[in-house]
Amino acid sequence: MEIKNRIINYWSRRSGDFARLRRDELNSYMADLWLEEIRKYLPDKPCRILDIGTGSGFFAILLGKAGHYVEGIDLTASMIEEAKLLAAKSGVNSVFKVMDAENLLYPDESFDIVLSRNLTWTLPHPRKAYGEWHRVLKKGGMLLNFDADYGKEHLVQDLNSLPQNHAHHNINSDLLAECDSIKANLDISQLRRPQWDSSVLQQIGFAHVDTDETVGKRIYSQHDEFYNPTPLFLIRAVK
């Protein structure tokens, strides 16, 4: 629990600025880019979607606007409060709950789609989390996990390589150092990704797993405040 408490404290301190960035992203060209990527994999009907590690609700709001029923969960209570506020301002009725991604409080086979963005790199027990995500998916359901190998990055050292208007320039240096310290204490930071993820998902019982390591080039083509220099990948797994 010590590392989880550090993670909660870190994201609690960042929740306000993080929410403002996600709000700006929802109202920018980025929303259409993300929706285009996700829609490639969704059926042409409303889905029950679980957005794990929702943060301030970006995916939950984006997909709620697109007509899906979405529940967003996050371990950090202040993030969930920000998500509720942003959803209300966006006119979206997505549901938000404080919940641990490694210990889901849902019955088996509750959702058509489980998706996540930039979460698994922060998990102390990612294999356990993947098992839970598999459990709550319906037969034939799909996991869409957008992440990057952030554990190999060093925020403090890499700050000067980012555009001057990048959001990380507004983060307190102590917070950046704390993030680097947390990553150094997580086992997932030492793993080869997304290869490790693909192998584990197959072992857990997903019938089909594939990866797309080009998605970041399509999403982050502009070097602006939303830019992510760490190569983003998508892991798609079908139960």
Side-chain angles (χ1 to χ4, degrees):
M1 282 304 300
E2 180 183 351
I3 191 66
K4 284 194 178 183
N5 287 334
R6 286 182 66 187
I7 292 169
I8 292 170
N9 181 61
Y10 171 80
W11 289 110
S12 295
R13 294 172 65 189
R14 282 200 59 194
S15 57
D17 288 340
F18 189 85
R20 283 188 287 275
L21 183 64
R22 294 288 85 83
R23 177 202 62 202
D24 292 346
E25 192 175 21
L26 276 169
N27 294 315
S28 77
Y29 70 96
M30 291 287 287
D32 289 336
L33 287 178
W34 275 111
L35 194 56
E36 182 180 353
E37 288 295 334
I38 296 170
R39 273 181 168 160
K40 294 176 184 178
Y41 306 104
L42 300 185
D44 291 328
K45 63 178 183 179
C47 297
R48 288 183 59 86
I49 298 176
L50 178 61
D51 176 20
I52 301 182
T54 190
S56 51
F58 180 83
F59 272 177
I61 295 168
L62 187 70
L63 294 170
K65 284 183 175 182
H68 300 282
Y69 173 82
V70 190
E71 295 199 17
I73 67 165
D74 201 280
L75 188 61
T76 305
S78 58
M79 283 289 192
I80 290 297
E81 291 306 311
E82 295 285 359
K84 290 177 179 178
L85 290 171
L86 188 53
K89 291 177 181 177
S90 303
V92 173
N93 294 321
S94 300
V95 176
F96 295 97
K97 301 175 181 178
V98 177
M99 195 180 301
D100 188 344
E102 299 178 353
N103 297 282
L104 299 181
L105 304 178
Y106 293 107
D108 295 354
E109 300 189 359
S110 295
F111 295 95
D112 303 300
I113 305 291
V114 167
L115 83 161
S116 185
R117 174 187 177 187
N118 294 341
L119 171 70
T120 36
W121 69 277
T122 73
L123 296 177
H125 310 102
R127 185 186 183 101
K128 186 176 190 298
Y130 277 142
E132 282 287 273
W133 303 0
H134 178 272
R135 179 182 66 77
V136 301
L137 272 172
K138 297 176 183 178
K139 184 66 175 177
M142 184 184 303
L143 166 65
L144 297 173
N145 181 19
F146 296 91
D147 202 13
D149 202 357
Y150 297 110
K152 305 293 193 300
E153 304 297 319
H154 301 282
L155 295 181
V156 174
Q157 295 178 20
D158 298 340
L159 194 60
N160 289 335
S161 65
L162 296 175
Q164 285 303 309
N165 61 342
H166 194 274
H168 281 182
H169 285 291
N170 298 320
I171 300 174
N172 182 287
S173 59
D174 289 342
L175 270 178
L176 292 177
E178 171 65 357
C179 184
D180 282 338
S181 176
I182 289 171
K183 288 188 294 182
N185 284 278
L186 293 173
D187 290 342
I188 195 169
S189 297
Q190 311 306 319
L191 301 173
R192 186 166 177 248
R193 307 187 65 208
Q195 291 80 3
W196 175 86
D197 306 71
S198 297
S199 176
V200 166
L201 290 168
Q202 292 173 44
Q203 293 168 23
I204 285 170
F206 280 96
H208 178 80
V209 181
D210 59 47
T211 60
D212 179 356
E213 297 187 56
T214 66
V215 61
K217 295 179 181 178
R218 295 189 295 275
I219 294 288
Y220 298 111
S221 60
Q222 298 191 36
H223 288 215
D224 55 16
E225 66 268 34
F226 309 116
Y227 178 63
N228 181 1
T230 309
L232 190 75
F233 55 76
L234 165 64
I235 305 169
R236 185 177 73 97
V238 180
K239 184 172 179 178

